[in-house]
Amino acid sequence: MRPTLFEFAGGDAAFLRLAAAHHARCLADPELNHPFSHADLNPQHVARLAAYWAEVLGGPPRYSQECADQSSLLRLHAGNGEMGDLGQRFVECFVAAADDADLPADPEFRAVLRAYMEWAVADVLAYSPVDAVVPDGEPVPHWSWDGLQHDTAPA
């Protein structure tokens, strides 16, 4: 049986490295650094991001059990208005962070990671209009080697 993306990446430690590397890349980006350098940024941001990506990509449901659901995550990023090229910059930081975190260089795995993040950014940006309304009860999405899984239903 094929391992989950979470397992293939290397488990929790790999996702913590990925989240830390991504955070560092975003801080270094002249356009992305602003949202990542707020004084009120949750001190657990990197750990929570790692838990979120781990759960999305086949790991344990720690984020949804200990932090929030997808609706809460979307609300954190909603209503900011026109975002310019921030979404693409975010994707490129994520792709480069996979190298920084020493995730497997397998081309199929890397293509799936990119496809996931492109989808995730589009999902978040769908709520960027100032008057955007995020629906309640959206579950954390699940992504596999085959893409978005439609087996989740709101709680």
Side-chain angles (χ1 to χ4, degrees), residues 55-115:
E55 181 172 342
V56 168
L57 297 171
R62 248 181 250 116
Y63 184 85
S64 58
Q65 289 176 352
E66 299 173 10
C67 299
D69 63 6
Q70 185 72 2
S71 294
S72 296
L73 180 134
L74 290 170
R75 279 189 199 98
L76 285 174
H77 300 92
N80 291 314
E82 171 57 38
M83 301 299 287
D85 71 342
L86 289 185
Q88 188 57 40
R89 294 173 90 92
F90 190 88
V91 170
E92 295 309 320
C93 283
F94 178 80
V95 169
D99 286 334
D100 299 342
D102 294 322
L103 296 190
D106 177 80
E108 183 181 7
F109 174 70
R110 292 301 183 93
V112 170
L113 286 182
R114 176 181 279 280

Side-chain angles (χ1 to χ4, degrees), residues 4 20 30 34 39 41 46 50 66-67 72 81 89 93-94 104 110 127 132 142 144-145 154:
T4 65
H34 177 69
L41 186 68
V46 170
E66 299 173 10
C67 299
S72 296
R89 294 173 90 92
C93 283
F94 178 80
R110 292 301 183 93
Y127 297 98
H142 294 118
S144 78
W145 293 95

